[in-house]
Short mmCIF file of all heavy atoms in Angstrom, two decimals:
data_model
loop_
_atom_site.label_atom_id
_atom_site.label_comp_id
_atom_site.label_asym_id
_atom_site.label_seq_id
_atom_site.Cartn_x
_atom_site.Cartn_y
_atom_site.Cartn_z
N ASN A 735 -23.09 -75.96 -42.49
CA ASN A 735 -23.27 -76.87 -41.35
C ASN A 735 -24.22 -78.02 -41.66
O ASN A 735 -24.62 -78.76 -40.75
CB ASN A 735 -23.76 -76.08 -40.14
CG ASN A 735 -22.68 -75.21 -39.53
OD1 ASN A 735 -21.84 -75.68 -38.77
ND2 ASN A 735 -22.68 -73.93 -39.88
N ASP A 736 -24.61 -78.16 -42.93
CA ASP A 736 -25.45 -79.28 -43.36
C ASP A 736 -26.74 -79.41 -42.56
O ASP A 736 -27.17 -80.51 -42.21
CB ASP A 736 -24.69 -80.61 -43.29
CG ASP A 736 -23.64 -80.73 -44.39
OD1 ASP A 736 -23.85 -80.16 -45.48
OD2 ASP A 736 -22.61 -81.39 -44.16
N LEU A 737 -27.37 -78.27 -42.25
CA LEU A 737 -28.66 -78.33 -41.57
C LEU A 737 -29.72 -78.88 -42.52
O LEU A 737 -29.81 -78.46 -43.67
CB LEU A 737 -29.07 -76.94 -41.09
CG LEU A 737 -28.16 -76.25 -40.08
CD1 LEU A 737 -28.79 -74.94 -39.62
CD2 LEU A 737 -27.88 -77.15 -38.88
N LYS A 738 -30.50 -79.81 -42.04
CA LYS A 738 -31.54 -80.38 -42.90
C LYS A 738 -32.62 -79.35 -43.21
O LYS A 738 -33.20 -79.34 -44.29
CB LYS A 738 -32.14 -81.62 -42.25
CG LYS A 738 -31.17 -82.81 -42.16
CD LYS A 738 -31.84 -83.99 -41.50
CE LYS A 738 -30.93 -85.22 -41.57
NZ LYS A 738 -29.66 -85.01 -40.84
N GLU A 739 -32.92 -78.47 -42.23
CA GLU A 739 -33.93 -77.44 -42.44
C GLU A 739 -33.60 -76.23 -41.58
O GLU A 739 -33.20 -76.38 -40.42
CB GLU A 739 -35.33 -77.98 -42.08
CG GLU A 739 -36.46 -76.97 -42.34
CD GLU A 739 -37.84 -77.62 -42.22
OE1 GLU A 739 -38.11 -78.54 -43.04
OE2 GLU A 739 -38.61 -77.25 -41.33
N ALA A 740 -33.77 -75.05 -42.14
CA ALA A 740 -33.50 -73.82 -41.40
C ALA A 740 -34.62 -72.83 -41.66
O ALA A 740 -34.98 -72.57 -42.81
CB ALA A 740 -32.16 -73.22 -41.83
N TRP A 741 -35.17 -72.28 -40.58
CA TRP A 741 -36.17 -71.21 -40.68
C TRP A 741 -35.44 -69.88 -40.56
O TRP A 741 -34.88 -69.56 -39.51
CB TRP A 741 -37.20 -71.34 -39.57
CG TRP A 741 -37.95 -72.64 -39.56
CD1 TRP A 741 -37.94 -73.61 -40.53
CD2 TRP A 741 -38.81 -73.14 -38.52
NE1 TRP A 741 -38.74 -74.67 -40.17
CE2 TRP A 741 -39.29 -74.40 -38.94
CE3 TRP A 741 -39.22 -72.63 -37.29
CZ2 TRP A 741 -40.16 -75.16 -38.16
CZ3 TRP A 741 -40.09 -73.38 -36.53
CH2 TRP A 741 -40.55 -74.63 -36.96
N VAL A 742 -35.42 -69.12 -41.63
CA VAL A 742 -34.67 -67.87 -41.68
C VAL A 742 -35.66 -66.72 -41.66
O VAL A 742 -36.19 -66.33 -42.70
CB VAL A 742 -33.77 -67.82 -42.93
CG1 VAL A 742 -32.99 -66.52 -42.97
CG2 VAL A 742 -32.83 -69.02 -42.97
N SER A 743 -35.92 -66.19 -40.48
CA SER A 743 -36.95 -65.16 -40.37
C SER A 743 -36.79 -64.37 -39.09
O SER A 743 -36.21 -64.85 -38.11
CB SER A 743 -38.34 -65.82 -40.40
OG SER A 743 -39.36 -64.85 -40.30
N ASP A 744 -37.30 -63.16 -39.12
CA ASP A 744 -37.40 -62.35 -37.90
C ASP A 744 -38.75 -62.61 -37.24
O ASP A 744 -39.66 -63.22 -37.82
CB ASP A 744 -37.30 -60.85 -38.26
CG ASP A 744 -35.93 -60.47 -38.79
OD1 ASP A 744 -34.93 -61.01 -38.28
OD2 ASP A 744 -35.86 -59.63 -39.71
N HIS A 745 -38.87 -62.15 -36.00
CA HIS A 745 -40.17 -62.18 -35.34
C HIS A 745 -41.02 -61.03 -35.87
O HIS A 745 -40.48 -60.02 -36.32
CB HIS A 745 -39.99 -62.04 -33.82
CG HIS A 745 -39.37 -63.24 -33.18
ND1 HIS A 745 -39.95 -64.49 -33.22
CD2 HIS A 745 -38.22 -63.38 -32.46
CE1 HIS A 745 -39.19 -65.35 -32.57
NE2 HIS A 745 -38.13 -64.70 -32.11
N PRO A 746 -42.36 -61.16 -35.91
CA PRO A 746 -43.15 -62.23 -35.28
C PRO A 746 -43.33 -63.45 -36.15
O PRO A 746 -43.93 -64.43 -35.71
CB PRO A 746 -44.49 -61.54 -35.05
CG PRO A 746 -44.62 -60.61 -36.21
CD PRO A 746 -43.22 -60.08 -36.46
N TYR A 747 -42.82 -63.43 -37.39
CA TYR A 747 -43.06 -64.54 -38.31
C TYR A 747 -42.42 -65.83 -37.80
O TYR A 747 -42.99 -66.91 -37.94
CB TYR A 747 -42.53 -64.18 -39.70
CG TYR A 747 -43.04 -62.85 -40.18
CD1 TYR A 747 -42.24 -61.71 -40.13
CD2 TYR A 747 -44.34 -62.71 -40.67
CE1 TYR A 747 -42.71 -60.49 -40.56
CE2 TYR A 747 -44.82 -61.49 -41.10
CZ TYR A 747 -44.00 -60.38 -41.04
OH TYR A 747 -44.47 -59.16 -41.45
N LEU A 748 -41.22 -65.71 -37.21
CA LEU A 748 -40.56 -66.90 -36.69
C LEU A 748 -41.35 -67.49 -35.54
O LEU A 748 -41.49 -68.72 -35.42
CB LEU A 748 -39.14 -66.55 -36.23
CG LEU A 748 -38.26 -67.73 -35.80
CD1 LEU A 748 -38.10 -68.72 -36.94
CD2 LEU A 748 -36.90 -67.23 -35.33
N ALA A 749 -41.91 -66.64 -34.69
CA ALA A 749 -42.73 -67.13 -33.57
C ALA A 749 -43.96 -67.88 -34.09
O ALA A 749 -44.36 -68.89 -33.51
CB ALA A 749 -43.16 -65.96 -32.69
N VAL A 750 -44.53 -67.39 -35.19
CA VAL A 750 -45.70 -68.06 -35.77
C VAL A 750 -45.30 -69.44 -36.28
O VAL A 750 -46.08 -70.40 -36.18
CB VAL A 750 -46.31 -67.21 -36.90
CG1 VAL A 750 -47.43 -67.96 -37.60
CG2 VAL A 750 -46.83 -65.89 -36.34
N CYS A 751 -44.09 -69.58 -36.82
CA CYS A 751 -43.61 -70.89 -37.27
C CYS A 751 -43.59 -71.89 -36.12
O CYS A 751 -44.05 -73.04 -36.26
CB CYS A 751 -42.21 -70.78 -37.86
SG CYS A 751 -42.11 -69.89 -39.43
N TYR A 752 -43.06 -71.47 -34.98
CA TYR A 752 -43.00 -72.35 -33.82
C TYR A 752 -44.41 -72.67 -33.31
O TYR A 752 -44.70 -73.80 -32.91
CB TYR A 752 -42.17 -71.72 -32.70
CG TYR A 752 -40.68 -71.86 -32.94
CD1 TYR A 752 -39.93 -70.82 -33.49
CD2 TYR A 752 -40.02 -73.05 -32.61
CE1 TYR A 752 -38.57 -70.96 -33.71
CE2 TYR A 752 -38.66 -73.19 -32.83
CZ TYR A 752 -37.94 -72.15 -33.37
OH TYR A 752 -36.59 -72.29 -33.60
N LEU A 753 -45.27 -71.67 -33.35
CA LEU A 753 -46.65 -71.89 -32.93
C LEU A 753 -47.33 -72.90 -33.85
O LEU A 753 -48.04 -73.80 -33.40
CB LEU A 753 -47.41 -70.56 -32.94
CG LEU A 753 -48.74 -70.51 -32.18
CD1 LEU A 753 -48.52 -70.74 -30.70
CD2 LEU A 753 -49.42 -69.15 -32.41
N TRP A 754 -47.10 -72.75 -35.16
CA TRP A 754 -47.69 -73.67 -36.13
C TRP A 754 -47.18 -75.09 -35.93
O TRP A 754 -47.90 -76.07 -36.12
CB TRP A 754 -47.36 -73.18 -37.54
CG TRP A 754 -48.27 -73.72 -38.59
CD1 TRP A 754 -48.15 -74.92 -39.23
CD2 TRP A 754 -49.45 -73.10 -39.12
NE1 TRP A 754 -49.17 -75.08 -40.13
CE2 TRP A 754 -49.98 -73.98 -40.08
CE3 TRP A 754 -50.10 -71.88 -38.88
CZ2 TRP A 754 -51.14 -73.69 -40.82
CZ3 TRP A 754 -51.24 -71.59 -39.61
CH2 TRP A 754 -51.75 -72.48 -40.55
N GLN A 755 -45.91 -75.19 -35.51
CA GLN A 755 -45.28 -76.50 -35.34
C GLN A 755 -45.74 -77.20 -34.07
O GLN A 755 -46.01 -78.41 -34.08
CB GLN A 755 -43.75 -76.34 -35.30
CG GLN A 755 -42.97 -77.62 -35.17
CD GLN A 755 -42.77 -78.34 -36.49
OE1 GLN A 755 -43.15 -77.82 -37.54
NE2 GLN A 755 -42.18 -79.51 -36.47
N TYR A 756 -45.84 -76.44 -32.97
CA TYR A 756 -46.05 -77.07 -31.67
C TYR A 756 -47.44 -76.84 -31.07
O TYR A 756 -47.84 -77.56 -30.16
CB TYR A 756 -44.99 -76.58 -30.68
CG TYR A 756 -43.60 -76.95 -31.10
CD1 TYR A 756 -42.70 -75.98 -31.54
CD2 TYR A 756 -43.17 -78.28 -31.08
CE1 TYR A 756 -41.41 -76.32 -31.96
CE2 TYR A 756 -41.89 -78.63 -31.49
CZ TYR A 756 -41.01 -77.65 -31.92
OH TYR A 756 -39.75 -77.99 -32.33
N ALA A 757 -48.16 -75.84 -31.57
CA ALA A 757 -49.50 -75.56 -31.06
C ALA A 757 -50.40 -75.16 -32.24
O ALA A 757 -50.83 -74.02 -32.34
CB ALA A 757 -49.46 -74.45 -30.01
N PRO A 758 -50.68 -76.12 -33.14
CA PRO A 758 -51.39 -75.78 -34.37
C PRO A 758 -52.78 -75.19 -34.16
O PRO A 758 -53.21 -74.35 -34.96
CB PRO A 758 -51.44 -77.12 -35.12
CG PRO A 758 -51.22 -78.17 -34.09
CD PRO A 758 -50.32 -77.55 -33.08
N THR A 759 -53.47 -75.61 -33.12
CA THR A 759 -54.81 -75.05 -32.89
C THR A 759 -54.74 -73.56 -32.63
O THR A 759 -55.55 -72.77 -33.16
CB THR A 759 -55.50 -75.76 -31.71
OG1 THR A 759 -55.61 -77.16 -31.99
CG2 THR A 759 -56.90 -75.19 -31.47
N TRP A 760 -53.77 -73.15 -31.82
CA TRP A 760 -53.57 -71.72 -31.57
C TRP A 760 -53.12 -71.02 -32.85
O TRP A 760 -53.52 -69.88 -33.12
CB TRP A 760 -52.53 -71.50 -30.48
CG TRP A 760 -53.05 -71.74 -29.11
CD1 TRP A 760 -52.85 -72.84 -28.31
CD2 TRP A 760 -53.90 -70.86 -28.36
NE1 TRP A 760 -53.52 -72.70 -27.13
CE2 TRP A 760 -54.17 -71.50 -27.12
CE3 TRP A 760 -54.46 -69.61 -28.60
CZ2 TRP A 760 -54.96 -70.92 -26.14
CZ3 TRP A 760 -55.25 -69.03 -27.63
CH2 TRP A 760 -55.50 -69.68 -26.41
N ALA A 761 -52.28 -71.68 -33.64
CA ALA A 761 -51.80 -71.08 -34.89
C ALA A 761 -52.96 -70.85 -35.86
O ALA A 761 -53.04 -69.80 -36.52
CB ALA A 761 -50.75 -71.98 -35.54
N TRP A 762 -53.88 -71.81 -35.95
CA TRP A 762 -55.03 -71.64 -36.84
C TRP A 762 -55.90 -70.47 -36.37
O TRP A 762 -56.40 -69.69 -37.19
CB TRP A 762 -55.86 -72.93 -36.87
CG TRP A 762 -55.13 -74.08 -37.50
CD1 TRP A 762 -54.16 -74.02 -38.46
CD2 TRP A 762 -55.29 -75.46 -37.17
NE1 TRP A 762 -53.70 -75.29 -38.76
CE2 TRP A 762 -54.38 -76.20 -37.99
CE3 TRP A 762 -56.09 -76.17 -36.27
CZ2 TRP A 762 -54.29 -77.58 -37.93
CZ3 TRP A 762 -56.00 -77.54 -36.23
CH2 TRP A 762 -55.10 -78.24 -37.04
N TRP A 763 -56.09 -70.37 -35.06
CA TRP A 763 -56.88 -69.26 -34.51
C TRP A 763 -56.23 -67.92 -34.85
O TRP A 763 -56.90 -67.00 -35.31
CB TRP A 763 -57.01 -69.42 -33.00
CG TRP A 763 -57.71 -68.27 -32.33
CD1 TRP A 763 -59.06 -68.07 -32.19
CD2 TRP A 763 -57.08 -67.13 -31.70
NE1 TRP A 763 -59.31 -66.90 -31.52
CE2 TRP A 763 -58.12 -66.30 -31.21
CE3 TRP A 763 -55.76 -66.75 -31.50
CZ2 TRP A 763 -57.87 -65.10 -30.54
CZ3 TRP A 763 -55.50 -65.56 -30.83
CH2 TRP A 763 -56.54 -64.75 -30.37
N LEU A 764 -54.92 -67.84 -34.64
CA LEU A 764 -54.20 -66.59 -34.92
C LEU A 764 -54.22 -66.27 -36.41
O LEU A 764 -54.46 -65.12 -36.80
CB LEU A 764 -52.76 -66.71 -34.42
CG LEU A 764 -51.85 -65.50 -34.69
CD1 LEU A 764 -52.37 -64.27 -33.95
CD2 LEU A 764 -50.41 -65.81 -34.25
N MET A 765 -53.98 -67.27 -37.25
CA MET A 765 -53.94 -67.03 -38.69
C MET A 765 -55.31 -66.62 -39.21
O MET A 765 -55.40 -65.80 -40.15
CB MET A 765 -53.43 -68.27 -39.42
CG MET A 765 -53.05 -68.01 -40.86
SD MET A 765 -51.74 -66.76 -41.07
CE MET A 765 -50.32 -67.64 -40.45
N ASN A 766 -56.37 -67.16 -38.62
CA ASN A 766 -57.72 -66.75 -39.04
C ASN A 766 -57.96 -65.27 -38.75
O ASN A 766 -58.53 -64.54 -39.56
CB ASN A 766 -58.78 -67.60 -38.33
CG ASN A 766 -58.90 -68.99 -38.92
OD1 ASN A 766 -58.47 -69.24 -40.04
ND2 ASN A 766 -59.49 -69.91 -38.17
N ARG A 767 -57.51 -64.81 -37.58
CA ARG A 767 -57.67 -63.40 -37.22
C ARG A 767 -56.81 -62.51 -38.11
O ARG A 767 -57.28 -61.50 -38.63
CB ARG A 767 -57.31 -63.19 -35.75
CG ARG A 767 -58.30 -63.80 -34.76
CD ARG A 767 -57.83 -63.61 -33.33
NE ARG A 767 -57.73 -62.19 -32.99
CZ ARG A 767 -58.72 -61.47 -32.50
NH1 ARG A 767 -59.92 -62.02 -32.33
NH2 ARG A 767 -58.53 -60.20 -32.19
N MET A 768 -55.55 -62.89 -38.29
CA MET A 768 -54.66 -62.11 -39.14
C MET A 768 -55.10 -62.17 -40.60
O MET A 768 -55.05 -61.18 -41.33
CB MET A 768 -53.22 -62.63 -39.00
CG MET A 768 -52.63 -62.47 -37.61
SD MET A 768 -51.02 -63.29 -37.44
CE MET A 768 -50.04 -62.29 -38.56
N GLY A 769 -55.57 -63.36 -41.01
CA GLY A 769 -55.97 -63.54 -42.39
C GLY A 769 -57.19 -62.71 -42.75
O GLY A 769 -57.28 -62.17 -43.86
N LYS A 770 -58.13 -62.62 -41.83
CA LYS A 770 -59.33 -61.82 -42.10
C LYS A 770 -58.96 -60.37 -42.36
O LYS A 770 -59.46 -59.74 -43.31
CB LYS A 770 -60.30 -61.92 -40.92
CG LYS A 770 -61.62 -61.21 -41.15
CD LYS A 770 -62.56 -61.43 -39.97
CE LYS A 770 -63.91 -60.76 -40.23
NZ LYS A 770 -64.85 -60.99 -39.10
N ARG A 771 -58.05 -59.83 -41.55
CA ARG A 771 -57.61 -58.45 -41.74
C ARG A 771 -56.83 -58.30 -43.03
O ARG A 771 -56.96 -57.31 -43.76
CB ARG A 771 -56.76 -57.99 -40.55
CG ARG A 771 -56.37 -56.51 -40.62
CD ARG A 771 -55.64 -56.04 -39.39
NE ARG A 771 -54.29 -56.58 -39.30
CZ ARG A 771 -53.90 -57.46 -38.39
NH1 ARG A 771 -54.76 -57.93 -37.50
NH2 ARG A 771 -52.65 -57.88 -38.36
N ARG A 772 -56.02 -59.30 -43.33
CA ARG A 772 -55.20 -59.25 -44.55
C ARG A 772 -56.09 -59.25 -45.79
O ARG A 772 -55.83 -58.50 -46.75
CB ARG A 772 -54.26 -60.44 -44.58
CG ARG A 772 -53.20 -60.35 -45.67
CD ARG A 772 -52.37 -61.59 -45.72
NE ARG A 772 -51.17 -61.37 -46.51
CZ ARG A 772 -50.50 -62.34 -47.14
NH1 ARG A 772 -50.93 -63.57 -47.10
NH2 ARG A 772 -49.41 -62.07 -47.82
N ILE A 773 -57.14 -60.05 -45.79
CA ILE A 773 -58.05 -60.11 -46.93
C ILE A 773 -58.81 -58.79 -47.08
O ILE A 773 -58.99 -58.27 -48.20
CB ILE A 773 -59.03 -61.29 -46.78
CG1 ILE A 773 -58.27 -62.61 -46.90
CG2 ILE A 773 -60.14 -61.22 -47.83
CD1 ILE A 773 -59.11 -63.83 -46.56
N GLN A 774 -59.23 -58.22 -45.96
CA GLN A 774 -59.92 -56.93 -46.01
C GLN A 774 -59.02 -55.85 -46.58
O GLN A 774 -59.44 -55.04 -47.42
CB GLN A 774 -60.40 -56.55 -44.60
CG GLN A 774 -61.53 -57.40 -44.07
CD GLN A 774 -61.86 -57.11 -42.62
OE1 GLN A 774 -61.07 -56.47 -41.90
NE2 GLN A 774 -63.03 -57.57 -42.16
N ASN A 775 -57.77 -55.83 -46.14
CA ASN A 775 -56.81 -54.85 -46.67
C ASN A 775 -56.56 -55.07 -48.16
O ASN A 775 -56.46 -54.11 -48.93
CB ASN A 775 -55.48 -54.96 -45.91
CG ASN A 775 -55.57 -54.44 -44.50
OD1 ASN A 775 -56.48 -53.67 -44.17
ND2 ASN A 775 -54.65 -54.84 -43.65
N PHE A 776 -56.46 -56.33 -48.55
CA PHE A 776 -56.22 -56.66 -49.96
C PHE A 776 -57.37 -56.17 -50.83
O PHE A 776 -57.15 -55.57 -51.89
CB PHE A 776 -56.05 -58.17 -50.10
CG PHE A 776 -55.87 -58.64 -51.52
CD1 PHE A 776 -54.65 -58.47 -52.17
CD2 PHE A 776 -56.90 -59.27 -52.20
CE1 PHE A 776 -54.48 -58.91 -53.48
CE2 PHE A 776 -56.74 -59.71 -53.50
CZ PHE A 776 -55.52 -59.53 -54.14
N LYS A 777 -58.59 -56.39 -50.38
CA LYS A 777 -59.75 -55.98 -51.17
C LYS A 777 -59.87 -54.46 -51.25
O LYS A 777 -60.39 -53.93 -52.24
CB LYS A 777 -61.02 -56.58 -50.56
CG LYS A 777 -61.16 -58.07 -50.76
CD LYS A 777 -62.47 -58.59 -50.17
CE LYS A 777 -62.67 -60.07 -50.47
NZ LYS A 777 -63.94 -60.57 -49.90
N SER A 778 -59.37 -53.77 -50.22
CA SER A 778 -59.46 -52.31 -50.22
C SER A 778 -58.23 -51.64 -50.85
O SER A 778 -58.12 -50.43 -50.89
CB SER A 778 -59.65 -51.79 -48.79
OG SER A 778 -58.53 -52.12 -47.99
N GLY A 779 -57.28 -52.47 -51.31
CA GLY A 779 -56.10 -51.95 -51.96
C GLY A 779 -54.96 -51.61 -51.05
O GLY A 779 -53.97 -51.01 -51.46
N VAL A 780 -55.05 -52.00 -49.77
CA VAL A 780 -53.99 -51.74 -48.80
C VAL A 780 -53.11 -52.96 -48.69
O VAL A 780 -53.61 -54.08 -48.55
CB VAL A 780 -54.57 -51.40 -47.41
CG1 VAL A 780 -53.44 -51.19 -46.39
CG2 VAL A 780 -55.46 -50.16 -47.50
#
């Protein structure tokens, strides 16, 4: 269908894409919270 761009994802990741696109301040807040947990898990081997 010659789409210029397609986001191919399930939720919640797709919802985060829309949040990042239309409400970046909220997206940064959410990513900071998720990112902090992700880094902690990474350092602990999870």
